Amino acid sequence: MSQFKFSAGPWNVHEGGDAFGPTVRDSIPFEEKVKMFAKMGLSAVQFHDDDAVPDMNNMTLDEIKEAAKKVKALLDQYGLVAEFVAPRLWEDGRTHDGGFTSMSETDREFAKWRSERSIDIANELGCDKIVLWLAREGTLCYESKNPVQGVERLIEAINGMLAYDPAIKVLIESKPNEPIDRSYCPTLGHVMAVASKTNDPSRVGGLLESAHAILAGLDPANEMAFGLAFDKLWGVHLNDQNGMKYDQDKAFGAENLRQSFNQVKVLIENGYGKKGEYIGLDVKAMRTQKIEDCYRHLANSMKVVQLMEEKVAKFDYALQKKLVAERNYEALEMYVLELLLGSK
Ligand code: 3MF
Ligand code: MG
């Protein structure tokens, strides 16, 4: 049994399309995914605004709230809750150049509208977390935006959300690139800095995805530690990533067991989860996976977290202390490798 509660998004069970080929699996209806998440032992679902209310752009506020209420009833039926709602500001025609930092004023108004509707949907779903994955808040063409103004616009947009609802919390999910070339908020450090400049820093924190840290050339466990040191790690997306290339969303631990161990270790050592935080997964099945077995990457990731929890429980802190005093880091490193390889 894991000490953590897990969450996943409906997009984690996807159709397998990539930049060079079409989808390879049929879409699975939302309710079926929810049912399966519950059966697998997940506790919460992560939502984009339009995962909850698909046709929201063409709906009135009342219609949006009604539709969200139905989703809440569905979650209740399966004993799940909503972890967060994230405005999807990267697919609509009005977000081609970003949302909050778009150079078009009408596009920025659309981003504001979607952010406020995300808050309305979160309220109906009974959650107080809004996640901002700032997909296109940056540039493809460097000279197309003023970078200082970009950061200011981001802060302004967050201030707007904080003012719209005095109870809502905003979690920025940092990522250095993809789909854009250069992001205005690439790391957790940037998240902390942006938070500090908003009108209510106590309600702005971060969500760290392992793969995003690796894409920034950083260690995910250290990024988590940085957020934890500021008491601002309010969400994680555990997954794995083979180096600095396209965003892979591999199953947690599939590439780097030691790095995965240290992520679970830093979370446990700092009481992550004690205030209700979830171990969010943001993993995608390989394109080759058949539909009959397309939840396996989620189950595998949960299993790896659990196995790493067992390794952390076994970790010999007395030995660590002794080896640190002797400055015998070769021995400490070998101890960790043997622990992970099962010979300790
Ligand atoms: C992209 C991501 C996103 C976010 C999601 C929720 C589509 O790299 O990680 O997944 O996690 O938008 O914030
Ligand atoms: Mg993510």
Side-chain angles (χ1 to χ4, degrees), residues 165-182:
D165 185 324
I168 214 81
K169 294 195 185 90
V170 176
L171 285 65
I172 304 175
E173 181 178 347
S174 48
K175 186 175 181 184
N177 62 287
E178 206 195 23
I180 41 153
D181 181 36
R182 292 171 168 86

Side-chain angles (χ1 to χ4, degrees), residues 11 48 84 86 90 131 133 173 175 209 212 237 247 282:
W11 65 90
H48 294 117
F84 65 71
W90 54 93
V131 167
W133 171 47
E173 181 178 347
K175 186 175 181 184
E209 173 167 324
H212 296 177
H237 272 173
D247 189 1
D282 199 354

Side-chain angles (χ1 to χ4, degrees), residues 151-163:
V151 177
E152 285 166 357
R153 282 187 167 153
L154 186 55
I155 292 165
E156 227 172 87
I158 294 170
N159 283 340
M161 296 169 75
L162 296 172

Side-chain angles (χ1 to χ4, degrees), residues 77-292:
Q77 190 187 326
Y78 293 103
L80 293 170
V81 298
E83 182 191 8
F84 65 71
V85 178
R88 195 194 297 275
L89 297 177
W90 54 93
E91 284 186 5
D92 190 275
R94 287 159 284 187
T95 59
H96 284 344
D97 193 27
F100 309 130
T101 66
S102 170
M103 293 309 284
S104 146
E105 196 180 337
T106 48
D107 288 0
R108 290 198 301 278
E109 273 163 21
F110 174 72
K112 185 175 159 64
W113 186 84
R114 284 288 288 248
S115 307
E116 291 179 356
R117 295 303 76 74
S118 292
I119 296 172
D120 297 329
I121 292 168
N123 281 328
E124 295 302 332
L125 296 183
C127 69
D128 64 356
K129 287 179 177 156
I130 299 295
V131 167
L132 298 180
W133 171 47
L134 302 167
R136 300 188 195 277
E137 313 301 354
T139 53
L140 287 176
C141 170
Y142 188 85
E143 297 78 11
S144 64
K145 291 179 185 174
N146 173 332
V148 173
Q149 187 185 48
V151 177
E152 285 166 357
R153 282 187 167 153
L154 186 55
I155 292 165
E156 227 172 87
I158 294 170
N159 283 340
M161 296 169 75
L162 296 172
Y164 183 73
D165 185 324
I168 214 81
K169 294 195 185 90
V170 176
L171 285 65
I172 304 175
E173 181 178 347
S174 48
K175 186 175 181 184
N177 62 287
E178 206 195 23
I180 41 153
D181 181 36
R182 292 171 168 86
S183 156
Y184 290 146
C185 205
T187 69
L188 250 254
H190 292 80
V191 170
M192 301 297 117
V194 166
S196 76
K197 255 205 128 186
T198 62
N199 290 340
D200 188 356
S202 73
R203 289 197 285 137
V204 186
L207 182 154
L208 194 278
E209 173 167 324
S210 325
H212 296 177
I214 296 165
L215 284 170
L218 298 170
D219 182 280
N222 262 7
E223 282 283 272
M224 288 174 190
F226 192 80
L228 287 162
F230 284 81
D231 216 1
K232 279 192 182 293
L233 188 72
W234 299 342
V236 293
H237 272 173
L238 296 191
N239 58 14
D240 216 343
Q241 168 78 24
N242 174 20
M244 292 161 84
K245 48 183 73 154
Y246 65 95
D247 189 1
Q248 297 181 305
D249 294 334
K250 289 187 171 209
F252 184 58
E255 281 300 320
N256 191 330
L257 287 177
R258 187 174 175 188
Q259 210 167 53
S260 305
F261 166 73
N262 281 313
Q263 289 173 67
V264 174
K265 185 164 172 286
V266 80
L267 293 174
I268 291 176
E269 287 175 350
N270 293 281
Y272 182 86
K274 297 235 163 81
K275 290 185 205 139
E277 304 94 336
Y278 292 91
I279 293 281
L281 301 169
D282 199 354
V283 289
K284 291 213 170 73
M286 289 177 223
R287 192 163 185 272
T288 43
Q289 194 71 2
K290 292 183 182 154
I291 193 156
E292 304 84 76

